[in-house]
Amino acid sequence: MRGRNRLRQLHSSCTLQHRTQPISDFQSSTNTNPYPSKKTLTQHHITKNKPKPVGDGDIKQWNMSITTHMLNGRCDLALNVFNSMPRRSSVSYNAMISGYLSNGEFDLAREVFDNMPERDLVSWNVMISGYVRNKNLSTAREFFEKMPERDVVSWNSMLSGYAQNGYVDEARRIFDRMLEKNEISWNGLLSAYVQNGRIVEACKLFESKEDWEVVSWNCLMGGFVKKNKLVEARHLFDRMPMRDEVSWNIMITGYAQNNDLAEAQRLFEMAPVRDVFTWTAMVSGYIQNGMVDEARRIFDAMPEKNAVSWNAMIAGYVQSKRMDMARELFEAMTCRNVSSWNTMITGYAQSGEITHARSLFDRMPWRDSISWAAMIAGYGQSGYNEEALRLFTEMKRDGGRLNRSTFTCVLSVCANIAALELGKQLHGQLVKIGFEAGCFVGNALLVMYCKCGSVEEAYHAFEEISDKDVVSWNTMIAGYARHGFGKEALMLFESMKTFGVRPDDVTTVGVLSACSHTGLVDRGTEFFNSMKRDYGIIANSKHYTCMVDLLGRAGRLDEAQNLMRNMPFEPDAATWGALLGACRIHGNTELGEKAAEVIFEMEPDNAGMYVLLSNLYAASGRWLDVSKMRLKMRDKGVKKVTGFSWLEVQNKIHTFSVGDTRHPERGRIYAYLEELELKLKKDGYVYTTKLVLHDVGEEEKEHMLRYHSEKLAVAYGILSIPAGRTIRVIKNLRVCEDCHNAIKHISKIEKRLIILRDNNRFHHFSNGSCSCGDYW
């Protein structure tokens, strides 16, 4: 900052001299040497010797010195040279203006421009192009309209500025006003149409002129390929009077990307000249179609490879989960770039090999924002959420550039562990940077707020998304469904249709889930039967699972069975699991056993299904069968997943297990629970002892239920979170019936809103009742 202030002071002194002394009379304080040293220019040595006459050749040397300093970012030294010049030309001023603009010093460029003794056309064009590069189109247009005269460069600068920033109609208006057009003018407008997807207008412009250059043919052909209009692209290719390597590469890439590898291969063999991009297009095409070994054959035959070629082949192995082959190529690669490292890190992270990913990350010669995002996402996907947050903190400390991808990864971690306060802080940073309005980050915010139990804030974030896509609508509908707000989900679905957004299969799953969680059986059944007719959506396994769950929860088990019998494909484990869950709710042991047998065949290691059947046996008093299930799990090596509950207090995650003895405030927590138990019983609470999977006495069963993880977490929340604030608890398993009942009473006694997220849905406890209406 001090350097910039000093530069402005020097600049002010320079411009002051020019305002008080005519340029022709200016006497510079320099040595007689017309080629001054850097030291001489910097220190402004004063000499009494009269300078020698300066010719045009000498001025060129001074101008070159200014340009060199500006190119290297040394604006102060360029200014020293400018101040030291015995005589200046318009080129000198233009070099200063261009240099300042290139270094982002727009105010100083404007000051030099305003103080020029005489401006030429180049001066005006330099100012316009500088503002265009900075995306300041309004100021560029202001200069443009004030120009005393314009040439084709002036017009093209404005045209390209509008075109590159998506103002295609304004670019066209500039184009139509031009008295003289050159190839840059025509190509600029054509490119604007193509890049903004306005192919019809691009074609009209193209047909209005005959003598297009090959780059223009390639531009339009690339636009057709981007729109997957290969017939039109090929027609244009066949019409071309002359083709270059780019022409062939565009068509080969187009066919490869659209799964027509036979035609891509045919064109590849026909190409008169193949460069590295031609070969790489074929490698990428085979990889995109899952033919990695064929891609490797092409790769090995390449006469020349660049970093893109290597990275494409490595990415192919990563996508096919062949990390050993990817690592072999990576180690053999002599031209690694940051993309090579990022691909490998992402591959290891997605394969669950987080240690290998971190090892490569630590070895990287330098990292970009994608590197950090890949590693943070890897930790989050592997369940190392706290490590992901630590790495995010390290990234900020190291000055890493935060982009949308990084924020999305960290928001996903916040959603996983329900770190709402941290999520809110990130939201604040996003607003400050200006990232929150787009779909990519906006949808991540939606997921974070929904998973953290703040559906109201999720809806506010939803409203803030400027251009909602189908994912935005689906996320909000699913969020309402998981929170048990079925009517709100259905209202939002109607709004979605009103806004002209076409529902997809994810939307319809969300709607059916909303009906299931709120007991809207008839509405859900009607919707399921109309999906194909109204939206062209054929029901998949997820839709059928939702329907079995919907019917089963309502006790309509026979209808659920009939639906499963008439499915166009075999029910999967999730569908049978929905039926088993319904059997547990309604005590249908016989049907539950049948469902469990099928599930154990499909997923023999699914511990949750063993526990679900054991609960069904226990509720029926079949203790011998409970013991058999326990032995069966032991013999098969199936281990019951340990239940955990956690909550966020002052930006720190506190985790509890059943009967937890590790928490530093355990004494305070247990003392509070003993005191609370008396209030609970006085309020009518009774332990649901039928859930205990042990044939022991009632008192012992009560003791087993007393210190479940969710009760410990709720207790700590009441003790630690100020009154009036919501307590948000997360559990990795389904909340048990006894805890559900107890928390209803606690919410009434303590007058607190308690939101609990289990592995199936959200429960909002308030004043003795739950948002699920005990329908879960």
Side-chain angles (χ1 to χ4, degrees), residues 726-737:
T726 303
I727 297 168
R728 291 180 169 84
V729 175
I730 313 299
K731 185 173 182 181
N732 65 328
L733 303 175
R734 183 187 177 93
V735 62
C736 82
E737 186 178 335

Side-chain angles (χ1 to χ4, degrees), residues 597-614:
E597 286 176 10
V598 179
I599 295 170
F600 296 154
E601 286 291 326
M602 293 180 172
E603 297 180 352
D605 298 326
N606 190 333
M609 295 298 106
Y610 287 93
V611 173
L612 203 55
L613 184 58
S614 296

Side-chain angles (χ1 to χ4, degrees), residues 368-638:
D368 62 7
S369 56
I370 297 174
S371 318
W372 290 96
M375 199 63 235
I376 291 169
Y379 275 128
Q381 291 163 4
S382 300
Y384 298 103
N385 295 299
E386 292 186 12
E387 189 61 39
L389 296 179
R390 275 195 290 271
L391 193 63
F392 177 65
T393 303
E394 182 183 335
M395 177 186 180
K396 292 196 294 183
R397 188 173 60 244
D398 288 358
R401 188 174 69 87
L402 300 176
N403 62 6
R404 288 176 173 84
S405 181
T406 312
F407 274 110
T408 300
C409 292
V410 182
L411 285 170
S412 178
V413 171
C414 292
N416 291 341
I417 60 176
L420 179 61
E421 293 307 314
L422 178 58
K424 286 181 177 180
Q425 292 171 23
L426 290 171
H427 190 175
Q429 293 178 42
L430 285 166
V431 172
K432 187 175 180 180
I433 297 172
F435 281 172
E436 87 286 0
C439 278
F440 186 60
V441 174
N443 291 342
L445 277 171
L446 282 184
V447 173
M448 185 275 293
Y449 279 123
C450 285
K451 285 192 172 183
C452 288
S454 185
V455 73
E456 297 86 1
E457 286 174 291
Y459 186 73
H460 290 318
F462 174 77
E463 289 286 272
E464 290 297 317
I465 298 176
S466 55
D467 188 16
K468 302 174 185 67
D469 61 7
V470 68
V471 177
S472 313
W473 293 92
N474 289 348
T475 303
M476 198 64 238
I477 290 170
Y480 275 137
R482 285 200 69 189
H483 282 266
F485 302 143
K487 292 180 180 178
E488 288 82 353
L490 295 177
M491 287 173 61
L492 193 65
F493 174 67
E494 294 301 323
S495 296
M496 177 183 183
K497 293 188 294 181
T498 301
F499 276 91
V501 181
R502 186 172 180 80
D504 60 14
D505 58 339
V506 178
T507 317
T508 48
V509 168
V511 171
L512 289 173
S513 178
C515 294
S516 177
H517 283 309
T518 46
L520 301 173
V521 182
D522 293 337
R523 180 71 181 274
T525 303
E526 179 186 347
F527 180 78
F528 177 80
N529 292 330
S530 68
M531 287 193 317
K532 184 177 180 181
R533 181 191 68 227
D534 294 346
Y535 312 111
I537 296 172
I538 299 173
N540 59 31
S541 60
K542 291 183 179 179
H543 295 106
Y544 279 99
T545 299
C546 284
M547 279 304 298
V548 170
D549 186 60
L550 174 68
L551 295 169
R553 286 177 189 274
R556 293 157 67 165
L557 296 175
D558 290 339
E559 291 180 55
Q561 275 187 283
N562 288 333
L563 181 67
M564 291 176 67
R565 290 191 192 100
N566 294 318
M567 286 173 62
F569 43 81
E570 287 297 316
D572 59 14
T575 309
W576 283 105
L579 184 63
L580 176 57
C583 292
R584 183 196 65 82
I585 293 171
H586 298 288
N588 191 325
T589 308
E590 182 181 352
L591 183 57
E593 285 180 318
K594 176 184 175 183
E597 286 176 10
V598 179
I599 295 170
F600 296 154
E601 286 291 326
M602 293 180 172
E603 297 180 352
D605 298 326
N606 190 333
M609 295 298 106
Y610 287 93
V611 173
L612 203 55
L613 184 58
S614 296
N615 286 336
L616 185 55
Y617 285 144
S620 303
R622 294 171 55 175
W623 298 110
L624 181 60
D625 289 319
V626 173
S627 298
K628 287 180 180 178
M629 288 303 301
R630 192 177 295 118
L631 290 172
K632 188 174 183 179
M633 290 178 70
R634 187 189 67 186
D635 293 342
K636 289 183 174 291
V638 178

Side-chain angles (χ1 to χ4, degrees), residues 218-267:
N218 290 341
C219 176
L220 184 57
M221 189 163 57
F224 282 131
V225 168
K226 191 175 179 181
K227 288 282 188 179
N228 294 324
K229 295 186 174 184
L230 287 187
V231 174
E232 292 85 347
R234 182 56 183 267
H235 177 67
L236 201 65
F237 178 80
D238 291 338
R239 282 176 53 199
M240 289 181 73
M242 182 174 62
R243 307 183 187 107
D244 61 8
E245 290 94 333
V246 176
S247 316
W248 290 90
N249 292 345
I250 289 171
M251 280 311 306
I252 291 169
T253 301
Y255 282 122
Q257 289 177 348
N258 285 273
N259 303 324
D260 193 348
L261 287 173
E263 189 61 22
Q265 183 72 42
R266 196 175 75 82
L267 280 183

Side-chain angles (χ1 to χ4, degrees), residues 159-219:
L159 191 153
S160 65
Y162 285 124
Q164 291 166 10
N165 289 278
Y167 299 105
V168 184
D169 293 332
E170 195 61 43
R172 180 63 196 240
R173 280 190 279 272
I174 290 288
F175 180 84
D176 289 340
R177 285 175 58 191
M178 294 177 71
L179 299 176
E180 177 190 356
K181 303 178 180 75
N182 61 14
E183 288 301 320
I184 295 174
S185 318
W186 288 91
N187 289 337
L189 186 60
L190 181 69
S191 176
Y193 281 135
V194 169
Q195 290 173 6
N196 288 274
R198 295 165 65 164
I199 295 296
V200 174
E201 290 158 292
C203 289
K204 288 180 180 178
L205 181 70
F206 192 82
E207 296 302 332
S208 69
K209 182 175 177 289
E210 293 185 356
D211 55 337
W212 289 95
E213 295 180 344
V214 67
V215 66
S216 309
W217 288 83
N218 290 341
C219 176

Side-chain angles (χ1 to χ4, degrees), residues 698-725:
E698 287 297 305
E699 188 173 334
E700 183 65 18
K701 288 181 180 180
E702 288 184 7
H703 180 74
M704 291 178 174
L705 295 170
R706 185 171 289 123
Y707 302 122
H708 274 192
S709 64
E710 49 265 63
K711 289 180 182 174
L712 296 175
V714 168
Y716 183 66
I718 291 170
L719 293 171
S720 306
I721 297 173
R725 292 186 59 189

Side-chain angles (χ1 to χ4, degrees), residues 234 237 248-249 251-252 255 261-275 278-279 281-282 286 294 297-298:
R234 182 56 183 267
F237 178 80
W248 290 90
N249 292 345
M251 280 311 306
I252 291 169
Y255 282 122
L261 287 173
E263 189 61 22
Q265 183 72 42
R266 196 175 75 82
L267 280 183
F268 176 77
E269 292 168 358
M270 286 173 57
V273 179
R274 301 175 195 151
D275 60 14
T278 320
W279 288 87
M282 286 304 300
Y286 280 115
E294 187 62 25
R297 183 186 66 79
I298 299 287

